[in-house]
Amino acid sequence: MHPTDTRERSIHDAGMDDVPAIARVLGRAFYDDPLYRWFFPDDETRMARSIRINALLAGFVHVPAGQAEVLRVREGDRSVVRGAALWTPPGADAQGVASLLRSLPHWADLVGPRRVPRIMRYFAQLNPPAPKEPHWHLAVLGTDPSVQGTGVGTRLLRSGLDRADAEGVPVSLETMNPANIGYYERHGFHVFHVLEGPEIPTTHFMLRPAS
């Protein structure tokens, strides 16, 4: 779609009925992302597995907690989910350890039992650099490739940032795709830590101070 696309759009709190659509949108959005390429090296099966992982993340963690938003686009007589943002509120566990443990059998099925310990070690390394003060954490932000460049992601991001600003708290996120850094910098984030290793995707930790 062209960036001047003017179809009706609206942001809503996500419900459990939205989980399949969220999973499809995020699966498509992150098909070529370095993290998902690390999770699922096989190109032919990555899409289906990425959709399943995002269904777990949305359905086990963020949607039940009420910290997920979707952006719907009017397409003909339908209102279609074309973007999703999954958040973790101040004081909550950004990685959802309890939910992660419940989802372990699914991870073993998707990445193979031998790779589960390595992936769990990687997840464990995401916690220490997190800001110590209360903050919102943007776990996932993605838009369907059909609407990328039309402002869908920015509207979802601004919705969360406005909430954080109203509460006077910072916002953190991680990105494994260096192409995303400039985008988030334009919204007030800066890189404050980089996690590197021979067997993990390079991860940039970013923070937007309270305004």
Side-chain angles (χ1 to χ4, degrees), residues 69-167:
E69 290 185 326
V70 294
L71 189 145
R72 294 181 174 276
V73 177
R74 176 65 62 179
E75 298 180 356
D77 60 354
R78 300 186 306 152
S79 179
V80 183
V81 172
R82 291 303 187 196
L86 309 182
W87 295 87
T88 305
D93 178 7
Q95 303 305 322
V97 171
S99 300
L100 187 61
L101 290 174
R102 290 198 303 272
S103 69
L104 277 179
H106 301 279
W107 278 97
D109 180 52
L110 288 168
V111 305
R114 292 184 179 180
R115 294 194 69 218
V116 168
R118 181 188 303 176
I119 289 173
M120 293 303 108
R121 286 194 298 270
Y122 170 71
F123 284 150
Q125 293 179 77
L126 300 183
N127 278 321
K132 301 304 180 185
E133 69 268 33
H135 64 281
W136 279 91
H137 177 258
L138 178 56
V140 186
L141 172 67
T143 62
D144 191 277
S146 67
V147 297
Q148 285 180 359
T150 68
V152 168
T154 296
R155 282 193 59 181
L156 282 164
L157 178 60
R158 285 300 334 167
S159 177
L161 297 183
D162 288 347
R163 178 178 53 217
D165 288 345
E167 298 176 6

Side-chain angles (χ1 to χ4, degrees), residues 138 141 157 173 180-189 206:
L138 178 56
L141 172 67
L157 178 60
L173 62 84
N180 292 337
I181 294 174
Y183 171 78
Y184 286 117
E185 286 178 336
R186 290 192 292 275
H187 290 277
F189 289 85
M206 304 191 73

Side-chain angles (χ1 to χ4, degrees), residues 28-97:
R28 289 193 290 263
F30 287 96
Y31 175 78
D32 282 323
D33 187 84
L35 178 64
Y36 284 75
R37 284 189 169 276
W38 181 64
F39 282 158
F40 314 118
D42 182 67
D43 290 344
E44 294 185 2
T45 61
R46 185 181 312 119
M47 181 68 75
R49 296 181 183 215
S50 297
I51 290 172
R52 285 183 61 189
I53 284 297
N54 281 291
L56 292 174
L57 185 62
F60 272 92
V61 184
H62 295 280
V63 173
Q67 308 300 340
E69 290 185 326
V70 294
L71 189 145
R72 294 181 174 276
V73 177
R74 176 65 62 179
E75 298 180 356
D77 60 354
R78 300 186 306 152
S79 179
V80 183
V81 172
R82 291 303 187 196
L86 309 182
W87 295 87
T88 305
D93 178 7
Q95 303 305 322
V97 171

